[in-house]
Amino acid sequence: MNNTNTLTLEEIQNFEGKYPKQLWYLFLVEMWERFCFYGMRGVLTIFMADQILGLALSDKDANLKYGAIQAFVYAFTFIGGIFADKILGFKKSLLFGGTVMILGNLIIAFSPQEMFYLGITLSIIGTGFFKPNISSMVGELYKEGDSRRDAGFGLFYSGINIGALLGGAVCVYLGTSPDYGWSYAFLSAAIVMVIGLITFILTKKSLGPIGDSPLLNLEPQKRTMREIAVYVGSLISIPLIFIMIKNTDYTDYFMYTIGPLAILFFLYETFKEKDIKAQKKLIAAFVFILFSVIFWAFFEQSGGSLALFAKNNLSPNLLFFNINPNIVNNTSNSLFVIIFSPILGLIWLAMAKKKIEPNTVMKFGLGFLFLAAAFYVFYYTKFFANVEGITSLNIFTLAYLVITFGELCLSPIGLSIMTKLSPKRLSGMMMGMWFLASAYGQYAAGLLGAGMSSPDENASLVTKLQGYTDGYYQLAIYALIAGTLLIVVSPLIKKLMQEVK
């Protein structure tokens, strides 16, 4: 079975130094995939609300559609995670997902207005098979209890953000530029995804057994049949997703169904777990998942209501530059993560040496307090508006700096804590649950954004400014309540986590 030049898991995990070399390969693959994903995400709402060259939707409908598309992307990662766990293995799942994503982007690039819904459906399915599996592979590069794991996820996270920064800037620039247009934005996303997939194909040998099919003990014919069934099933789901995105009422029904089903599945697996300690850890993981839904519902305003706010209500002056406000909306968070992620990492290390580092639950709570502060700053932009309802891009960017600290307290440790709290046999399911929580966050983000946007398309910019900033004020209060609650119950959650830090 094993050819001589394949690395064993032991050889991979016994690496010298801070990072295994495989982490750099996965870092590159993920970076290109995130370029594609965040580039698409950055242009979705403005493309759909573009009355001339886009889909000509109202602000409210663009917000709802954005929420629905993003929710499906993350909901599909839950399904993709389970199929990878049980049938395909991470490697095949990644290749299949990447190929389908490329196809989806090429279709939209070919004909943005007519083929948008078909292309976006393929992108959703592709991302579902691609996204959860690469994080799980990063987790497997480390032995249980290896203290270098958090640093590895930290580095991996910066790869995500370099991709997001490049994609966010390039796709918004191409899409909104009079010289290029939407087709070029979607085409660039397809091209970088091809680069990512080639990188993976060239380096996957170095991963040894990581990500192989879990069904290697079956005879090849049976295994192949099951794999083909997964591919066929994905293709059959195309018309279903297509219909649900086109009519967002159907999205509501889908979201009301998949969440309760996922919770039942989670409870079934938790109670089936014989080890009481493992059960408690799974319950702790579930608390993190629930709070992350709230976090992402607020944070993900960046792709929905904040994108339209940037398009309509912001001046293009940032410090001494003149810049498209939506490029700022789509890249400042990633830029700040790249700059401050290592700095915050050093602060945590210094605090750990003095034995005063906040535990994971406290960090989650802090994340919410930063989130509350950021939305208060978004609200505060209204006091800098001129009579036309155009306000300061500088204050808006400051809010993104604050929100980034919130994200850095929560997201990198979120991925890491899921791999620490779940037993190995459920790692794909728990990663999927983590991403499913994001799906609900995205879905709620669309609803919240639609609630803030003015129902009248011809409303003045002052009215739009009022609607959005009032909405941000309410989000600030809710985030403050959630953060305080988390900090208060943190001793209880810590007990459930037992020895996991």
Side-chain angles (χ1 to χ4, degrees), residues 220-286:
Q221 198 181 356
K222 272 189 183 162
R223 194 168 71 231
T224 310
M225 288 304 289
R226 287 189 194 180
E227 285 169 7
I228 290 170
V230 172
Y231 301 141
V232 172
S234 314
L235 299 176
I236 292 171
S237 63
I238 292 174
L240 279 172
I241 298 174
F242 182 89
I243 293 162
M244 286 193 275
I245 295 170
K246 213 147 181 195
N247 181 348
T248 45
D249 290 347
Y250 291 123
T251 313
D252 299 343
Y253 305 138
F254 176 77
M255 296 307 281
Y256 298 150
T257 314
I258 191 158
L261 285 177
I263 292 171
L264 285 172
F265 184 58
F266 166 80
L267 290 172
Y268 165 73
E269 289 287 7
T270 304
F271 289 118
K272 205 173 84 173
E273 182 60 58
K274 299 281 186 289
D275 180 5
I276 296 292
K277 283 185 164 177
Q279 267 190 7
K280 285 183 176 171
K281 284 182 195 169
L282 283 166
I283 294 164
F286 191 66

Side-chain angles (χ1 to χ4, degrees), residues 34 72 101 159 180 255 302 334 393-394 398 418:
R34 296 286 84 188
F72 278 119
M101 276 173 87
Y180 298 103
M255 296 307 281
S302 55
S334 308
L393 183 56
N394 292 322
L398 175 67
M418 283 305 117

Side-chain angles (χ1 to χ4, degrees), residues 3-4 10 13 29 35 56 92 94 115 126 130 165 173 224 239 241 276 281 289-290 330 385 415:
N3 49 10
T4 45
E10 187 118 348
Q13 291 179 341
V29 176
F35 179 118
K92 282 186 176 152
L94 214 112
M115 306 287 269
F130 192 101
L165 175 71
Y173 170 72
T224 310
I241 298 174
I276 296 292
K281 284 182 195 169
I289 286 168
L290 285 181
N330 213 25
L415 286 172

Side-chain angles (χ1 to χ4, degrees), residues 331-475:
T331 58
S332 49
N333 172 238
S334 308
L335 180 65
F336 292 143
V337 168
I338 294 163
I339 296 169
F340 291 104
S341 179
I343 297 170
L344 197 65
L346 292 172
I347 293 172
W348 294 143
L349 282 174
M351 288 174 88
K353 277 200 178 120
K354 293 190 170 150
K355 304 239 183 315
I356 51 169
E357 185 190 3
N359 62 51
T360 305
V361 196
M362 291 293 273
K363 284 181 186 171
F364 252 63
L366 279 172
F368 276 96
L369 299 184
F370 277 118
L371 191 66
F375 274 99
Y376 189 75
V377 179
F378 281 130
Y379 156 72
Y380 211 72
T381 55
K382 84 184 227 181
F383 299 110
F384 290 82
N386 62 16
V387 286
E388 279 96 42
I390 302 289
T391 187
S392 161
L393 183 56
N394 292 322
I395 305 293
F396 181 84
T397 311
L398 175 67
Y400 263 113
L401 177 63
V402 181
I403 214 169
T404 300
F405 282 105
E407 184 194 1
L408 287 174
C409 286
L410 184 137
S411 198
I413 52 175
L415 286 172
S416 182
I417 202 79
M418 283 305 117
T419 59
K420 285 181 192 169
L421 289 171
S422 8
K424 189 164 165 20
R425 70 179 184 87
L426 296 177
S427 71
M429 178 192 87
M430 291 310 286
M431 271 296 179
M433 288 283 286
W434 176 251
F435 288 125
L436 190 61
S438 301
Y440 274 85
Q442 306 277 357
Y443 172 65
L447 296 176
L448 289 169
M452 290 177 217
S453 52
S454 166
D456 173 17
E457 260 323 279
N458 305 316
S460 70
L461 291 182
V462 176
T463 310
K464 288 184 174 184
L465 176 80
Q466 192 69 39
Y468 281 123
T469 51
D470 286 355
Y472 299 145
Y473 183 71
Q474 286 185 314
L475 294 187

Side-chain angles (χ1 to χ4, degrees), residues 112-135:
Q113 283 166 316
E114 285 76 32
M115 306 287 269
F116 175 76
Y117 290 108
L118 175 62
I120 210 78
T121 300
L122 290 175
S123 284
I124 286 168
I125 294 171
T127 310
F129 277 94
F130 192 101
K131 191 174 160 50
N133 302 318
I134 200 146
S135 313

Side-chain angles (χ1 to χ4, degrees), residues 281 360 416-417 420-421 494 496-501:
K281 284 182 195 169
T360 305
S416 182
I417 202 79
K420 285 181 192 169
L421 289 171
K494 254 186 81 180
L496 289 171
M497 290 167 68
Q498 297 147 89
E499 81 287 350
V500 175
K501 289 285 180 284

Side-chain angles (χ1 to χ4, degrees), residues 31-50:
M31 184 181 90
W32 292 121
E33 189 268 339
R34 296 286 84 188
F35 179 118
C36 172
F37 179 81
Y38 280 95
M40 290 277 288
R41 172 185 155 224
V43 296
L44 273 181
T45 317
I46 32 181
F47 166 71
M48 293 189 288
D50 182 341

Side-chain angles (χ1 to χ4, degrees), residues 78-195:
F78 175 62
I79 298 164
I82 291 172
F83 280 136
D85 256 359
K86 308 271 188 229
I87 299 172
L88 291 182
F90 300 141
K91 286 178 184 153
K92 282 186 176 152
S93 193
L94 214 112
L95 285 170
F96 175 62
T99 311
V100 177
M101 276 173 87
I102 292 164
L103 225 98
N105 282 319
L106 287 174
I107 288 173
I108 304 178
F110 177 69
S111 175
Q113 283 166 316
E114 285 76 32
M115 306 287 269
F116 175 76
Y117 290 108
L118 175 62
I120 210 78
T121 300
L122 290 175
S123 284
I124 286 168
I125 294 171
T127 310
F129 277 94
F130 192 101
K131 191 174 160 50
N133 302 318
I134 200 146
S135 313
S136 301
M137 287 205 268
V138 171
E140 283 196 39
L141 297 173
Y142 297 90
K143 280 194 181 110
E144 289 288 314
D146 189 330
S147 58
R148 296 172 292 186
R149 178 188 295 242
D150 278 5
F153 269 104
L155 176 73
F156 182 65
Y157 204 65
S158 66
I160 291 177
N161 282 286
I162 293 168
L165 175 71
L166 296 170
V170 171
C171 292
V172 171
Y173 170 72
L174 291 172
T176 53
S177 152
D179 302 332
Y180 298 103
W182 298 117
S183 284
Y184 283 91
F186 294 110
L187 181 64
S188 66
I191 291 169
V192 294
M193 200 57 223
V194 172
I195 300 172

